Amino acid sequence: MSMTSQPSELSEGRLDLSLGDGENAALNRSVARDTVPSFSSSDGPDATPETGESEPLKSALAQRYGAVLSDLDGVVYAGASAIPGATEALEKLEDIGVALAYVTNNASRSSAEVAAHLRALGAPATAEQVFGSALAGAELLAEQVPPGATVLITGSAVLARHVAEQGLVPVTTADPIPDAVIQGFEPTLGWKDLAEAAFAVAGGAVWVATNTDMSFPQARGIAPGNGTLVAAVSAATGKAPIVAGKPEAQLFMTAANHLGVHAALVVGDRLDTDILGGNRAGMATALVLTGVDTAENALAAVTDERPMYLFSDLGQLHQPYPDITEKDGVYTSGGSRANVEDGVVIMGGPREDVDTWRAGCAAWWAASPRQHTASLPPLRFLDEE
């Protein structure tokens, strides 16, 4: 059985501007999972239609998918340096016929700029492989308004270009009221820009936000992100935007559609953005433990943020994924096992072994299939007794 952040805008928090469960789900094209992860190695596209079973995975896990959609910060690099082994793992995807794309909430840098940064770190990257929330936002907006509609750009020149490429007309003023407003991060935005956006939104314009990241790291500390600017317009108007970036589905769907793939694997280091967004898009998800979230966080995660796979590093894209089995309530992954007794997760295996956590997650998630608040249960490691 298998279990089941960005160069300049890594979120430290996220603005809740939900429109209501039904409307928000429809507008953001989110696909909610009706069941908890099944932890079966037959979950992927190789499963046979007759039985749902597949041959034990003897080749790279990545080969089960048409593409890998990778996050950036915490997956490919940390700070100014590439994460050890990450660029090599990404380079090898081409050798096994798996497409690669990068997905980022960054809406201010162009795809070419992001690709150049990745190449400088040794990662394979072209502009065509980088999908940011500016493109996703423009495509989402084009679904809401007719061709030729006027769109107030509250954001970067990159965002304006993507809007124009959708057959829409970028404008810089809310007089007259435009058909739509699209808001993305741009460090030079000021009060007048936000006021124009508020006038347009209050006047009935369709409102799309590229992302709602509340903060992102800078050399001198944590700085306000696009979410804080969106919050200002929301506070002034009492309205909420349609959101394109993580953790909504649109960004992942945009990347998959441009690549022309139906089965994609989302790889990220954050449960609340990468994994939640990939799950909402109905894609397979893998949490890699080289960034923000830990194995403990994965085990404690709410149902919607539980990944299908757990990686210690990106190199595990090129390894067979273990078949996590269950017998009499005991879950086994590799040489590790886990079960739940009286609300305690009992794990047999080294704490530092990812297989121990794979087994532990399988056991706990089966015992707590509908978890709405992140909560780490008591843990017991038999190897430490």
Side-chain angles (χ1 to χ4, degrees):
M1 297 159 78
S2 63
M3 274 193 320
T4 17
S5 329
Q6 296 71 19
S8 67
E9 290 191 59
L10 175 64
S11 69
E12 296 298 324
R14 186 148 280 95
L15 177 66
D16 183 3
L17 290 171
S18 58
L19 301 175
D21 292 341
E23 184 179 2
N24 196 46
L27 289 174
N28 287 289
R29 299 169 62 192
S30 298
V31 181
R33 285 191 171 182
D34 294 328
T35 58
V36 296
S38 67
F39 317 109
S40 170
S41 63
S42 61
D43 291 339
D46 290 345
T48 61
E50 294 84 2
T51 65
E53 296 298 328
S54 64
E55 290 297 319
L57 287 177
K58 298 177 181 178
S59 57
L61 173 64
Q63 287 183 297
R64 305 184 73 197
Y65 300 94
V68 168
L69 309 184
S70 177
D71 179 41
L72 299 177
D73 197 0
V75 177
V76 182
Y77 56 79
S81 303
I83 291 172
T87 60
E88 293 84 354
L90 295 172
E91 189 78 50
K92 289 169 61 178
L93 289 174
E94 183 177 5
D95 297 336
I96 59 175
V98 177
L100 170 63
Y102 301 97
V103 287
T104 171
N105 268 1
N106 190 299
S108 59
R109 296 203 299 171
S110 70
S111 295
E113 290 172 320
V114 175
H117 175 218
L118 290 168
R119 289 195 302 272
L121 294 172
T126 65
E128 292 71 27
Q129 291 176 293
V130 178
F131 297 91
S133 62
L135 173 60
E139 292 190 354
L140 178 61
L141 178 59
E143 296 175 359
Q144 310 298 321
V145 296
T150 54
V151 180
L152 175 64
I153 308 297
T154 307
S156 67
V158 171
L159 182 59
R161 185 175 73 247
H162 284 308
V163 168
E165 290 170 350
Q166 299 301 312
L168 305 175
V169 180
V171 298
T172 57
T173 177
D175 186 16
I177 298 296
D179 298 304
V181 179
I182 188 165
Q183 187 170 357
F185 183 76
E186 164 55 49
T188 62
L189 288 175
W191 179 88
K192 290 183 178 180
D193 301 296
L194 298 181
E196 289 296 312
F199 299 151
V201 171
V206 173
W207 184 20
V208 168
T210 60
N211 67 85
T212 53
D213 292 8
M214 292 298 286
S215 60
F216 62 96
Q218 296 285 279
R220 295 169 57 195
I222 300 299
N226 193 52
T228 61
L229 306 180
V230 171
V233 177
S234 181
T237 62
K239 297 188 178 183
I242 310 167
V243 182
K246 306 174 191 180
E248 303 304 332
Q250 180 70 36
L251 179 57
F252 301 97
M253 296 168 71
T254 293
N257 290 339
H258 279 259
L259 293 175
V261 299
H262 298 290
L265 174 62
V266 174
V267 180
D269 71 311
R270 293 188 68 113
L271 295 166
D272 63 347
T273 54
D274 307 312
I275 304 306
L276 178 58
N279 287 346
R280 284 176 168 174
M283 298 177 182
T285 53
L287 178 71
V288 61
L289 304 175
T290 52
V292 172
D293 278 313
T294 64
E296 288 93 336
N297 295 147
L299 194 148
V302 298
T303 302
D304 289 347
E305 296 179 7
R306 291 171 175 174
M308 184 176 290
Y309 305 110
L310 195 62
F311 293 168
S312 58
D313 56 61
L314 274 190
Q316 293 187 337
L317 282 169
H318 301 280
Q319 298 174 10
Y321 201 81
D323 188 12
I324 302 178
T325 60
E326 184 273 340
K327 183 177 180 181
D328 299 329
V330 177
Y331 290 78
T332 302
S333 176
S336 299
R337 67 191 187 280
N339 65 292
V340 177
E341 291 185 9
D342 299 324
V344 178
V345 181
I346 303 171
M347 291 184 272
R351 184 189 291 260
E352 65 275 9
D353 188 344
V354 70
D355 273 323
T356 302
W357 292 100
R358 289 166 175 164
C361 285
W364 177 245
W365 294 351
S368 182
R370 291 283 177 262
Q371 189 159 313
H372 302 293
T373 303
S375 178
L376 183 67
L379 307 178
R380 177 182 167 194
F381 291 88
L382 298 178
D383 284 17
E384 297 177 3
E385 296 181 351

